[in-house]
């Protein structure tokens, strides 16, 4: 595969991240493969008409598109196992798909691949409050777990912005984070076990309701592996008692630098709020337009700092935070006055990406940098985008350095689309140079695959690929993603 | 997202509008989570995002609709939960409307499907025909199980099952625009507030006071056959508030039923006729509002301006009519109804999709009910459609039944004493699957503010006692 | 640099060559040399956990002892990077100097394992050590952000980084944590740290039976009280803590940490909700520190020269008491519980009873038992780690081969 030639993505205006060239022998067997799959899943479980395959050609990384060979929608682990065993024996690539909300193209198919959609496996199998666990199928949405146990005072902590729609299977594939991981960690810290189907159809269980992993931490390895090691069909996740109260507070600043310095000081003071979110002026305007959350529109930078606990606890912590913010010249401080208001504040923040669609197309970066580098990287990000003649909106998790510059462009203008992508690449390189990484929570996917060499040496990539091959020696699982096409093992 | 339309296509205003809608979509997938069909079927193609994609491809390539595409578009309830969820502000409603017209123009439905749609389009919008059909349905009901077994005839079975078992009460003299102050005063429940009669209501009782406001109530079509008591309640309540009710003879179906089947010309026909009648009435002495007690119809009325915006003869008139259209609860919320003491009844408020997702009237009904002394409970998954959706429960009986069961189980889990909603379709759909009494919001409000106990509650000793 | 072995951790014989490289480059050189000579290496940090797993069949040792020192510590980012052989004590002292600490409260295994030596930060991660805060703060792997390591091909590699959120590529960091030196030698570790709490307090409920204690702990974890430790010390071990100062009867412990005001509020919350279940006493910071350190270090079962079998059992929290009760029907055993009941420390009176125990765990809904200590014959006969189903074992073997294709590192250690 090392001398793979590039197969350009479909559609005008798409910048050239290449898919693996489709295997002609697989394309030629399309009908045969369809017929076999139809036997393996329950009625309505195979999408075959070319027109009907089109909606599966992309996810939320919509700049790249490629309809798959077929889509199969199994309903049980046994069906998933049968489908994978067949694809393994027939040497057909498989791309697992949850809700298709990936911002890095993790669920984008390739022409010779079967998309294995987990959306019909959406049952919550067991809620065990005494052991504080939930056992769910992979297609269950992130938020529905929290909703299911809300009345009993529990929640599932990782909260990616797409939590309304994204599935737990997808969260595991990308090791999704969220706004509140400053306190509660990301998916891998809240995942206790999975049922994993290997490419040959073997079903293995990793972990369970107990905390220790037996043998190697394969659970930790599978989490974040972007569907390349196997297909997760069930998960056991940890539930946490919901704090008595939670209060987001809005802090408006006249400059991003002041806001950034305030964040650093809060952390340095030993205060760990559950979340510290940052928005710059364009992002504030975008989010306010959708959520009407009462964000101040006259400030250059906004922090949403959330504290939680009992009333007196929150008050004490907030007092300290306000003191620090005042030192940094905070202009407006506004506490949410009710649960409804708090919900609106978060709704605005969590809808930031989608709401951007009101004014422009965008690509969303996801680099993470050490906190001390935030102000510098923020400034350079603005300069890089300006250099390309593009606007950028910044909205991100400041407490953990996970940045999300939204580069605005017009997708119907191919030249501008290419510029946006180039600017994005520059920003990600900047993040790595600043001591950070390419992606904090969205995953490498297709989007950042060809940038992996900025972060890793050849030997490091080779090592990761060797581990990958221990699970999937034939490279059938989501093979166009994560690892640069050149330099792959033969 | 990126679109592929040619300059020639963009010259077509309808296509240009659809392109603008498509450009806003960023394919984030949030809409999938709150879409009833995606939640039920788990297939991207049965989600708003999937349908948007199918529509985009069909329109971009000017492709005739195929059976596959039509299947997935037909499954859309037009509940518009997706537009509530969508952060990008994608106007899905007008996109799917456009797509339905395209389907109607380019796709030949199989004969049974065509026949049933034609039948529905010929009957439902016409009260007399509908009344007759319901009588026949009562006779035909035993045939339902037979139709059930023959796939193309399943909609007929659904239709027969939906027909109310009892004969619909004739509208109490089709209560007209006569101010009802006197009849309300004659009722033994004219003064339900103990000793303190709220000012606004006592003013209503004073015949001498000149009516400050003049409103029309959309009489519509199916509702007046299925449950004439709803409008009667609205009329009583408004009259007691001193609001003059204006009759607009000849006004009828708003066009929604055929509109959602993609039968655009028929829909516009209904719309133009209503617009003409109301415009004349406006000219003849003013109209403060056109009130709608069936939120599905309200949605369409509010969209007349959009539907007719490319008809020079009607654009302006239609926009004026749309601007006057108000849901009954939206209007009542501005009438300063006095707060009443708690009456010890819990009401599960079912938010009709047309009200919450399209009209975005979400708080008014709940606040009114609470002010009227009812304890309001909101069922889980309140954003999900009950499966009624106009003619959906007839045309898509399986999905409709699944949603109906889910809705009813969520409603019953609230352990409320009764259910209320603001749309006749929901009332029928939910009523068919629960033993709880199901009434219209305005019936409860009328009752609370001095009207008679709603018919569906009157039968129960429990509610009679609650009086 | 190559020295004859001086200390004698249990797995390395005194006659063995012990390499103690001073740089990553030297590690690479040694590994390449071993590769050329096909001579397996026993990897070790301070050797205090050398008794974990099985005896290593190696001809030479490779120690991180000369790879010592804190490379970078930025308190404002709550991140530290240190060479793997840095003594844990040095790391903890540096953190304490800035009012910070490790989140995962690593156990000191010397008392229980009867080992000498100096625990290293690399060893802590290689064994994925954790402590009572596991239920709230995770294990070592949850704090580990990045590593540099040398694999079995003699390549020096890095994985992860120094930021808290990082999903770039496969998470080899998690894989290396807890791999007991069987996949590569970690030379450098970067980890997240946390502020020290202003106040620590412990609620001690007295006299509860195991099952009632498990129920109380579950109820506590269901409250918005941020309990950071939940342990149950049956009457048989209670006297071994705080020099016997705990009240009569079994002791069920709930630990609270954080701002003083917050701890007070949460203590009230717990007292209100659970106070009626058993007599309740509150312990302040000093006693709490000492008490939880003893829980962490398995103090009641510190090696007393008898080599009585010691098991570490991980099950669903509510399964702990039932498991112990069932085991007591058939064998002499003493037990206490950590992790809300999910970590059960078992000291057998005589034989390890591995088959019995593992059978009961399977019946109790799954989990696993790790044999930490027993006489040499038993250690040789019993798989120290929970045996894995064949497909999983095969997968693990392939993963091992992908990092250490020639089986150079700690052969036999993980069975």
């Amino acid at each position: 595969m090392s001398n793979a030639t590039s197969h350009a993505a479909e559609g005008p205006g798409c910048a050239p991240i290449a898919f693996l060239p489709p295997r002609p022998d697989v394309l030629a067997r399309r009908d045969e493969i369809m017929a076999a799959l139809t036997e393996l899943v329950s009625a309505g479980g195979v999408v075959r008409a070319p027109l009907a395959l089109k909606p599966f050609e992309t996810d939320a990384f919509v700049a790249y598109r490629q309809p798959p060979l077929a889509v199969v929608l199994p309903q049980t682990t046994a069906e998933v196992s049968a489908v994978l065993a067949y694809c393994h024996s027939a040497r057909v690539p498989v791309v697992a798909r949850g809700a298709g909300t990936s911002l890095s193209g993790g669920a984008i198919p390739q022409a010779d691949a079967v998309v294995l959609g987990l959306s019909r496996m959406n049952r919550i199998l067991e809620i065990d409050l005494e052991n504080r666990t939930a056992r769910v199928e992979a297609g269950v949405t992130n938020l529905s777990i929290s909703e299911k146990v809300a009345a009993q005072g529990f929640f599932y902590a990782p909260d990616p912005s797409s939590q309304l729609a994204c599935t737990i299977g997808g969260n595991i594939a990308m090791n999704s984070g969220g706004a509140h991981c400053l306190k509660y960690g990301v998916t891998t810290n809240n995942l206790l076990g999975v049922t994993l189907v290997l490419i040959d159809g073997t079903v293995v269980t990793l972990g369970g309701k107990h905390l220790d992993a037996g043998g190697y931490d394969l659970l930790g390895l599978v989490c974040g592996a972007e569907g390349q090691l196997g297909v997760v069909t069930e998960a056991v996740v940890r539930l946490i008692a919901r704090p008595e109260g939670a209060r987001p507070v809005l802090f408006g600043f006249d400059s991003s630098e002041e806001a950034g310095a305030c964040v650093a000081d809060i952390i340095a003071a030993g205060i760990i709020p559950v979340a510290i979110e940052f928005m710059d002026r364009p992002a504030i305007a975008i989010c306010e337009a959708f959520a009407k959350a009462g964000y101040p529109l006259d400030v250059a930078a906004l922090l949403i700092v959330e504290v939680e606990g009992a009333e007196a606890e929150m008050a004490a912590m907030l007092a300290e935070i306000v003191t620090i913010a005042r030192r940094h010249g905070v202009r407006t401080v506004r506490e949410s006055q009710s649960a409804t208001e708090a919900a609106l504040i978060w709704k605005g923040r969590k809808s930031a990406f989608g709401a951007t669609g009101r004014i422009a197309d965008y690509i969303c970066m996801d680099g993470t940098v050490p906190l001390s580098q935030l102000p510098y990287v923020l400034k350079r990000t603005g300069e890089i985008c300006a250099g390309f003649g593009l606007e950028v909106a910044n909205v991100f998790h400041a407490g953990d350095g996970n940045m999300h510059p939204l580069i605005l462009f017009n997708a119907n203008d191919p030249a501008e689309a290419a510029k946006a992508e180039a600017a994005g690449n520059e920003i990600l390189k900047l993040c790595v140079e600043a001591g950070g990484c390419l992606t904090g929570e969205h995953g490498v996917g297709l989007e950042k695959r060809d940038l992996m060499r900025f972060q890793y040496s050849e030997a490091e990539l080779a090592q990761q690929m060797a581990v990958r091959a221990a699970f999937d020696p034939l490279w059938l699982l989501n093979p166009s993603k994560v690892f640069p096409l050149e330099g792959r093992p033969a | 997202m990126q679109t592929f339309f040619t300059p020639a296509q963009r010259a077509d205003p309808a296509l240009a509008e659809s392109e603008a809608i498509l450009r806003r979509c960023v394919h984030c997938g949030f809409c999938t989570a709150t879409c009833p069909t995606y939640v039920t079927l788990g297939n991207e193609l049965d989600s708003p995002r999937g349908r948007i994609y199918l529509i985009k491809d069909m329109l971009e390539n000017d492709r005739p609709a195929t059976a596959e595409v039509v299947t997935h578009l037909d499954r859309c309830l037009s509940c518009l939960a997706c537009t509530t969820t969508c952060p990008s502000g994608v106007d899905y409603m007008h996109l799917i409307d456009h797509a339905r017209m395209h389907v109607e123009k380019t796709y030949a439905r199989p004969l049974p499907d065509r026949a049933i749609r034609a039948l529905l389009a010929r009957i439902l919008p016409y009260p007399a025909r509908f009344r007759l059909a319901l009588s026949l349905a009562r006779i035909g009901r035993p045939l339902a199980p037979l139709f059930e077994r023959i796939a193309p005839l399943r909609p007929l079975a659904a239709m027969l099952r939906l027909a109310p078992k009892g004969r619909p009460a004739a509208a109490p003299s089709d209560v007209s625009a006569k101010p009802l102050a006197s009849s309300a005063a004659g009722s033994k429940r004219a003064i339900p507030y103990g000793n303190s009669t709220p000012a606004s209501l006592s003013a209503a009782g004073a015949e001498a006071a000149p009516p400050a406001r003049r409103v029309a109530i959309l009489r519509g079509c199916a509702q007046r056959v299925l449950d004439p008591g709803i409008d009667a309640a609205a009329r009583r309540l408004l009259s007691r508030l001193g609001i003059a009710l204006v009759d607009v003879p000849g006004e009828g179906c708003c066009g929604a039923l055929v509109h959602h089947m993609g039968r655009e010309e028929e829909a516009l026909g209904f719309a133009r006729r209503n617009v003409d009648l109301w415009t004349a009435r406006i000219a003849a002495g003013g109209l403060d509002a056109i009130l709608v007690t069936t939120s599905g119809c309200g949605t369409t009325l509010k969209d007349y301006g959009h539907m007719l915006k490319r008809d020079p003869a009607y654009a302006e008139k239609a926009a004026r009519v749309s601007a006057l259209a108000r849901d009954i609860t939206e209007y009542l919320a501005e009438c300063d109804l006095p707060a009443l003491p708690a009456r010890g009844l819990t009401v599960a408020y079912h938010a009709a999709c047309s009200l919450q997702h399209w009209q975005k009237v979400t708080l008014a009904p709940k606040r009114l009910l609470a002010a009227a002394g009812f304890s309001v409970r909101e069922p889980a998954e309140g954003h999900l459609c009950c499966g009624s959706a106009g003619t959906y429960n007839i045309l898509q009986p399986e999905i409709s039944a699944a949603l109906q069961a889910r809705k009813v189980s969520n409603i019953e889990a609230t352990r409320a004493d009764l259910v209320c909603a603001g749309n006749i379709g929901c009332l029928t759909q939910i009523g068919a699957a629960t033993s709880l009494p199901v009434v219209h919001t305005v019936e409860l409000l009328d009752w609370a503010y001095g009207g008679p106990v709603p018919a569906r509650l009157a039968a129960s000793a429990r509610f009679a006692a609650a009086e | 640099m190559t020295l004859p072995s001086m200390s004698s951790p249990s797995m390395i014989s005194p006659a063995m060559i012990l390499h103690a490289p001073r740089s990553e480059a030297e590690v690479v050189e040694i590994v390449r040399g071993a590769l050329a000579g096909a001579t397996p290496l026993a990897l070790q940090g301070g050797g205090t956990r050398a008794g974990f797993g099985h005896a290593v069949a190696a001809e030479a040792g490779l120690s991180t002892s000369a790879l010592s020192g804190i490379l970078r510590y930025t308190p404002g980012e709550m991140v530290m990077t240190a060479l793997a052989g840095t003594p844990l004590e040095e790391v903890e002292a540096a953190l304490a100097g800035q009012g910070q600490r490790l989140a995962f409260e690593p156990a000191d295994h010397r008392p229980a394992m009867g080992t000498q030596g100096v625990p290293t930060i690399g060893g802590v991660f290689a064994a994925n050590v954790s402590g009572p805060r596991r239920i709230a703060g995770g294990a070592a792997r949850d704090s580990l952000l990045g590593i540099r390591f040398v694999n079995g091909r003699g390549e020096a590699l890095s994985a992860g980084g120094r930021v808290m959120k990082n999903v770039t590529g496969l998470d080899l960091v998690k894989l290396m944590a807890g791999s007991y030196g069987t996949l590569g030698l970690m030379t450098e570790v970067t980890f997240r740290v946390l502020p020290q709490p202003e106040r620590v307090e412990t609620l001690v409920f007295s006299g509860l039976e195991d099952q009632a204690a498990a129920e109380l702990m579950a109820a506590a974890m269901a409250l918005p009280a941020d309990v950071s430790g939940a342990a149950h010390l049956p009457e048989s071990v209670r006297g071994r803590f705080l020099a016997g100062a705990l009240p009569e009867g079994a002791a069920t412990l709930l630990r609270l940490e954080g701002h003083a005001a917050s701890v007070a509020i949460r203590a009230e919350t717990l007292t209100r909700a659970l106070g009626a279940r058993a007599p309740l006493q509150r312990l302040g910071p000093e006693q709490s520190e000492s008490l939880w350190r003893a829980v962490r270090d398995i103090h009641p079962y510190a090696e007393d020269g008898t080599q009585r079998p010691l098991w570490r059992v991980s099950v669903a929290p509510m399964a702990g008491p039932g498991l112990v009760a069932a085991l007591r029907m058939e064998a002499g055993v003493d037990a206490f519980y950590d992790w809300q009941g999910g970590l059960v420390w078992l000291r057998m009176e005589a034989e390890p009873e591995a088959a019995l125990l593992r059978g009961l765990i399977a019946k109790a809904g799954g989990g696993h038992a790790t044999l930490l200590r027993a006489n040499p014959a038993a250690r040789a006969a019993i798989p120290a780690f929970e045996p894995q189903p064949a497909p999983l074992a095969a997968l693990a073997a392939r993963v091992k081969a992908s990092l250490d294709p020639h089986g150079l590192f700690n052969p036999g250690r993980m069975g």
Side-chain angles (χ1 to χ4, degrees), chain C:
Chain C
M1 183 163 104
T2 301
L3 300 169
S5 169
M6 312 231 300
S7 65
S8 53
S10 64
M11 295 296 155
I12 296 175
S13 71
M16 197 187 272
I17 300 283
L18 178 64
H19 303 286
R22 280 171 305 197
S23 68
E24 189 181 85
E26 285 185 21
V27 175
V28 168
E29 201 180 305
I30 292 160
V31 171
R32 290 196 175 150
L35 203 51
T39 44
L41 297 167
L43 307 193
Q44 65 164 70
T48 67
R49 283 169 260 265
F52 283 33
H54 293 276
V56 172
E59 288 156 34
L62 174 55
S63 163
T64 58
S65 59
L67 284 167
S68 180
I70 293 168
L71 299 180
R72 181 206 285 262
Y73 175 32
T74 44
E77 293 175 354
M78 301 191 294
V79 175
M80 179 184 273
T81 300
L83 289 171
T86 312
L88 181 61
E89 208 174 22
E90 187 181 327
V91 167
E92 292 186 320
L95 294 175
Q98 297 291 330
Q100 296 186 331
R101 64 174 182 184
L102 293 171
F104 54 92
E105 202 177 9
D108 180 351
H109 285 97
R110 286 175 292 188
M113 305 295 288
T115 48
Q116 307 294 316
V118 177
T120 63
I121 190 68
V124 161
F125 286 110
N128 189 27
V129 179
S130 54
R133 207 175 292 119
R134 177 91 193 250
I135 50 171
R141 53 92 91 175
D142 294 291
S143 284
L144 188 59
L145 302 175
I147 54 174
R148 287 197 61 81
F149 71 105
V150 177
N151 68 10
R153 291 182 205 84
E155 297 164 325
L157 308 172
S158 84
R162 65 181 177 107
V163 288
M164 264 177 266
K165 272 158 110 184
N166 182 354
V167 295
T168 321
L170 282 182
D171 195 349
L172 299 188
V173 173
K174 295 281 183 304
L175 181 63
M176 293 295 292
S179 64
Y180 296 100
T182 61
L183 302 178
L185 180 78
M186 286 192 265
T187 56
E188 192 183 304
V189 289
T190 300
F191 45 94
R192 187 191 185 200
V193 300
L194 285 179
Q196 280 180 354
E198 191 176 56
R199 177 156 180 97
V200 181
E201 242 186 68
T202 303
L203 274 61
V204 183
F205 295 83
S206 299
L208 292 171
E209 293 296 321
D210 293 6
Q211 181 60 33
E215 285 162 15
L216 180 135
M217 290 189 283
M221 297 305 294
L223 291 167
D226 244 338
V227 172
S228 76
H232 176 64
L233 314 174
E235 173 62 11
S236 62
V237 298
R238 190 260 313 167
R240 304 289 310 275
F241 292 88
L242 293 183
L246 284 172
E248 281 294 298
T252 308
L253 317 175
L254 301 176
R255 179 173 61 183
L256 299 174
E257 300 175 288
H259 275 59
S262 159
V263 167
I265 290 166
R266 288 183 278 141
E268 267 318 299
T269 303
L270 290 171
T271 305
R272 248 192 335 270
L274 307 171
R277 295 194 186 198
L280 169 60
Q281 189 180 320
R282 277 159 74 163
L283 304 181
E286 285 79 30
Q287 282 184 307
S288 289
E289 287 294 336
S290 149
L291 179 58
W292 287 99
R293 191 175 313 115
V295 170
R296 182 193 81 180
D297 296 343
I298 330 160
H299 178 70
Y301 306 142
E303 170 64 350
D304 55 6
T306 61
Q307 291 185 325
R308 275 185 291 180
L310 176 63
W311 287 100
R312 170 190 168 103
V313 173
S314 176
V315 289
M318 291 304 285
L323 174 73
V324 171
L327 195 57
R328 282 202 178 114
M329 304 291 286
E330 319 232 1
V333 59
D334 194 39
F336 77 95
Y337 307 84
D338 199 352
W339 299 354
Q340 192 205 319
L343 173 61
V344 189
W345 292 107
L346 296 174
R347 195 203 42 206
M348 312 305 291
E349 294 309 322
E351 294 306 310
E353 306 286 2
L356 171 65
L357 172 61
R358 287 181 164 145
L360 289 173
I361 289 173
K363 268 195 224 159
H368 44 84
T370 307
L371 184 60
L372 287 193
R373 189 179 79 199
N375 67 53
R379 300 288 324 250
I382 297 167
F385 298 104
E386 189 77 26
Q388 295 184 311
L392 209 47
L395 186 59
R398 294 201 297 275
V399 169
K400 155 94 174 161
S402 74
L403 281 129
D404 178 22
H406 304 285
L408 278 189
F409 299 140
N410 280 354
R413 182 82 182 257
M414 290 186 80

Side-chain angles (χ1 to χ4, degrees), chain A residues 170-187:
Chain A
N171 288 181
I172 293 167
M174 294 306 189
N175 188 15
S176 302
H180 291 77
C181 54
L182 200 51
K183 175 167 179 188
Y184 295 109
V186 295
T187 302

Side-chain angles (χ1 to χ4, degrees), chain A residues 341-411:
Chain A
E341 223 176 276
L344 275 181
I345 287 175
W346 279 114
K347 185 181 174 189
R349 164 58 190 91
K350 295 201 168 189
S351 304
F353 302 167
T356 304
R358 292 166 179 264
I359 59 166
D361 297 289
Y362 67 86
I363 48 173
C364 173
M365 301 291 107
D366 177 42
T368 305
V369 299
L371 287 183
S372 57
Q373 299 292 309
L374 266 182
Y376 166 71
V377 173
L378 207 51
K379 183 166 142 285
R380 280 289 300 137
T381 295
E383 289 166 4
I384 288 170
C385 290
F388 282 95
L390 297 168
E391 280 188 72
V392 61
N394 279 290
V395 45
F396 61 87
H397 314 302
D400 50 32
N402 187 194
M403 305 189 67
H404 293 313
L406 296 158
I407 304 172
L408 311 183
F409 70 105
N410 173 3

